[in-house]
Amino acid sequence: MLLGVLAVILMGASWIVTGIVMGKVPKLGISADVFLFVGSTFITLAGVIVGCVHGFPPGMPLGKVALVLGILFVGGIINNRQLAFMSRAMQHGPNGIIWSFIQCGFIVPFILLNIVFPDKNEVSVCRVLACLALIAAMIIMGVTGQKNKESTGPWLMLTCLAFLATGISQTMNNMPSFLKGADEINSAWKTAACECGIGMGSFLFSLFGRKQSSFMPKVRKAMKKPVFWGFIAFNSITAFLGGFFLLYFGMDRLAKHNAGAIAYPLMTGSCILAFDLYSLLVLHEHRTCLQLFALLLCLLGIVGFCF
């Protein structure tokens, strides 16, 4: 179980790469959807290549394989909207608060997975109090964040949408770990399915947008910028290595010890701390005493979910 705990903590810390990139890309004149589409395409291809080398578990019904990969694919589409909403919110509000607020979305899979798989997770008084602490933290961050000097637009509404998308996508990403035998499917296939959903999400939503005809021209234009490829490499390598070596390995290990529901709390705690340090030291964002109290409530809530 210790290996599972360490894996998800390291995975959570690696998430700040996505937060940093999604906050910077639009400022370079590159659409977040364009970035997600191109980056996820490369990760998907890498996952398929590695997956083909390993193959599928012998004797596993194709129906189960399709179910697992299908769940992760749909979860990836929803995760795409989470990243798009987050990127837009970060252009208008305090990045540190936005990141912390959105990462609290793990309370959604905790609640839903306890309802669907009650025998795999245990509800305790500590976890109920932890949930209340997180809700209180989000309310404080939402109310006080609007007074920050970085707040210039509808960041709170976008953050709430990203929060909901985070909860739903994490639920679907975590669900295969609770299906018997699903842990035998190589992590490369799981990573490829999720990333394919993320990439397809940008393409599909562009079809329903008001400027759907300009999506592929935007892709071609972005691909001519060297800095674009730098961000693609930075984010894609981190995401693929994390998904292949840490994410599903950690969740499967924890689920085997009936502790699957703490996977996202552990990842969330490590990524919130890492990104908060980034926003304070690099972005030079400031937090009031009340906002620091909200952060403390947030972290205490995350710790509470682990008991």
Side-chain angles (χ1 to χ4, degrees):
M1 181 170 172
L2 179 60
L3 286 176
V5 170
L6 291 175
V8 295
I9 287 176
L10 289 174
M11 184 66 204
S14 75
W15 282 349
I16 71 166
V17 171
T18 299
I20 293 170
V21 170
M22 296 308 292
K24 286 185 174 294
V25 163
K27 295 177 181 178
L28 300 173
I30 300 171
S31 165
D33 275 318
V34 168
F35 179 84
L36 290 171
F37 176 73
V38 177
S40 294
T41 298
F42 279 99
I43 300 175
T44 300
L45 290 174
V48 170
I49 292 171
V50 176
C52 287
V53 172
H54 288 272
F56 290 111
M60 178 171 286
L62 290 178
K64 175 168 283 189
V65 174
L67 174 63
V68 171
L69 299 185
I71 290 173
L72 294 173
F73 175 77
V74 175
I77 292 177
I78 299 172
N79 191 24
N80 170 277
R81 288 301 89 191
Q82 179 257 330
L83 293 168
F85 289 140
M86 180 181 73
S87 180
R88 289 170 58 190
M90 285 181 166
Q91 309 313 305
H92 300 289
N95 288 14
I97 290 177
I98 290 170
W99 181 264
S100 298
F101 192 114
I102 292 173
Q103 298 310 316
C104 290
F106 76 85
I107 65 174
V108 177
F110 173 77
I111 294 171
L112 293 180
L113 290 173
N114 272 291
I115 294 174
V116 179
F117 302 103
D119 57 321
K120 294 286 186 177
N121 300 287
E122 182 180 341
V123 177
S124 63
V125 174
C126 189
R127 290 183 177 179
V128 172
L129 292 175
C131 187
L132 294 175
L134 285 172
I135 293 173
M138 287 187 291
I139 292 173
I140 294 172
M141 286 188 285
V143 173
T144 61
Q146 298 186 74
K147 299 179 182 179
N148 276 47
K149 64 179 182 179
E150 299 92 352
S151 302
T152 58
W155 69 271
L156 185 56
M157 179 188 71
L158 292 167
T159 301
C160 289
L161 290 173
F163 166 82
L164 291 174
T166 297
I168 297 172
S169 66
Q170 287 185 357
T171 299
M172 301 192 75
N173 210 24
N174 210 340
M175 194 172 292
S177 294
F178 293 88
L179 300 178
K180 186 178 180 180
D183 60 322
E184 296 178 16
I185 300 175
N186 192 272
S187 294
W189 286 115
K190 296 178 182 178
T191 301
C194 183
E195 288 294 335
C196 183
I198 292 175
M200 285 301 296
S202 288
F203 179 74
L204 291 174
F205 280 96
S206 74
L207 297 179
F208 300 99
R210 286 177 292 182
K211 299 180 179 179
Q212 62 267 38
S213 61
S214 65
F215 182 72
M216 293 313 295
K218 284 182 179 179
V219 171
R220 289 192 290 269
K221 182 180 178 180
M223 291 174 70
K224 295 178 182 178
K225 299 181 178 181
V227 67
F228 175 76
W229 291 109
F231 279 121
I232 287 288
F234 184 40
N235 189 63
S236 297
I237 292 173
T238 303
F240 179 76
L241 292 178
F244 185 71
F245 291 107
L246 300 174
L247 179 60
Y248 299 106
F249 168 81
M251 290 194 298
D252 291 341
R253 280 297 183 100
L254 291 175
K256 283 184 177 180
H257 289 83
N258 292 333
I262 74 169
Y264 274 103
L266 288 173
M267 287 188 277
T268 301
S270 63
C271 81
I272 285 178
L273 284 174
F275 195 87
D276 221 64
L277 288 173
Y278 167 77
S279 64
L280 292 172
L281 300 176
V282 180
L283 299 180
H284 304 295
E285 292 183 351
H286 300 287
R287 289 205 177 187
T288 65
C289 291
L290 194 55
Q291 289 168 349
L292 290 174
F293 174 68
L295 175 63
L296 178 62
L297 272 180
C298 184
L299 295 175
L300 287 174
I302 290 168
V303 171
F305 269 96
C306 297
F307 293 96

